[in-house]
Structures are given as C-alpha cells and as structure tokens.
C-alpha cells in the first residue's frame, strides 16, 4: 500500500479513536496488523509513537492549572506543607499502587505489550 495513503488511514483511525474511552493505541495496532504493516520496521514503529504525540503533549497543557495546584500543595507553597491536599495524597497513592506492580512485571508487560490477543480479549 502507498505509504501516504497508509499514513492518512492510520491518522484517521488515531484521530477518531482518541476520543473513545478505549485504547486508541490498540485500535492503531490492530489496524496496522490488518493492513500488514510490519512493526519490526523502525519507521512504522516510530510513526505509531509520533502520531500519538499530539494527544500526549496536550495533557500538560489541558491540565496545567491542576498540575500547578497539586505542585504547590506538594512543595509547601500557598497553604504550607502542614495542610496536605487530599488529592495530592490520592495521586501519590495511585502512582505507587500502579508503579510498583508495573515495575515488578516489566518483562511480562514488555513481552505482551504488542500482542493482538491481549488487546482483543475483553476484560
């Protein structure tokens, strides 16, 4: 398939599925498989990352007020360090609860990260 046409098609899939409450990355990966795009090719692997970069980079912009608010509370800004922000505590707990198992299962996650079976099986 023509790389420009393939790029256009993958861009449309990424754009449409980014707003759904399911993984746009999985949709992109499944489409690449159906279109016989080789993910062992470094170009298409990088393309999959770059095409999602806009959505990733917009998050700090969209949540900038919330990020600065949480940062002030954590750093002891406006209200001081003794008045802990409950949401900052919740964010920290959520990070730890997610990060530790993820770190411990790095090999398993990496092995199955691009598995179409894992992406396609409903939880």
């Amino acid at each position: 398939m023509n790389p420009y046409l393939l790029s256009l098609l993958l861009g449309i899939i990424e754009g449409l599925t980014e707003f759904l409450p399911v993984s746009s990355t999985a949709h992109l990966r499944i489409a690449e498989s159906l279109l016989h795009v080789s993910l062992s090719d470094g170009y298409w692997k990088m393309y999959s990352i770059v095409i999602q970069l806009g959505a990733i980079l917009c998050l700090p912009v969209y949540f900038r007020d919330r990020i600065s608010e949480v940062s002030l509370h954590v750093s002891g800004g406006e209200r001081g360090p003794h008045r802990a922000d409950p949401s900052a505590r919740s964010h920290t707990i959520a990070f730890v609860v997610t990060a530790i198992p993820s770190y411990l299962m790095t090999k398993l996650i990496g092995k199955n990260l691009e598995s179409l079976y894992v992406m396609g099986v409903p939880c």
Side-chain angles (χ1 to χ4, degrees):
M1 178 182 274
N2 180 330
Y4 294 111
L5 182 61
L6 181 59
S7 181
L8 178 67
L9 187 58
L10 292 175
I12 290 170
I13 291 168
E14 170 64 22
L16 291 175
T17 60
E18 191 60 48
F19 297 100
L20 298 176
V22 291
S23 174
S24 62
T25 305
H27 281 92
L28 197 59
R29 177 63 187 104
I30 291 167
E32 288 169 338
S33 177
L34 292 173
L35 296 169
H36 305 291
V37 174
S38 171
L39 282 186
S40 61
D41 180 0
Y43 175 82
W44 288 109
K45 205 169 232 196
M46 181 59 78
Y47 179 86
S48 293
I49 294 168
V50 171
I51 197 172
Q52 297 179 58
L53 199 55
I56 293 167
L57 292 177
C58 83
L59 290 175
V61 173
Y62 185 78
F63 289 109
R64 67 184 172 274
D65 294 335
R66 185 74 183 127
I67 292 169
S68 64
E69 180 183 317
V70 169
S71 297
L72 277 174
H73 288 291
V74 170
S75 67
E78 279 178 17
R79 298 184 189 170
H82 6 290
R83 290 194 61 194
D85 179 18
S87 67
R89 194 175 313 126
S90 298
H91 289 127
T92 304
I93 292 168
F95 172 77
V96 170
V97 167
T98 307
I100 292 172
S102 297
Y103 177 75
L104 295 173
M105 298 187 322
T106 300
K107 288 185 180 182
L108 179 66
I109 292 169
K111 178 180 159 191
N112 294 297
L113 191 60
E114 295 178 354
S115 167
L116 291 176
Y117 177 76
V118 172
M119 289 179 204
V121 173
C123 294

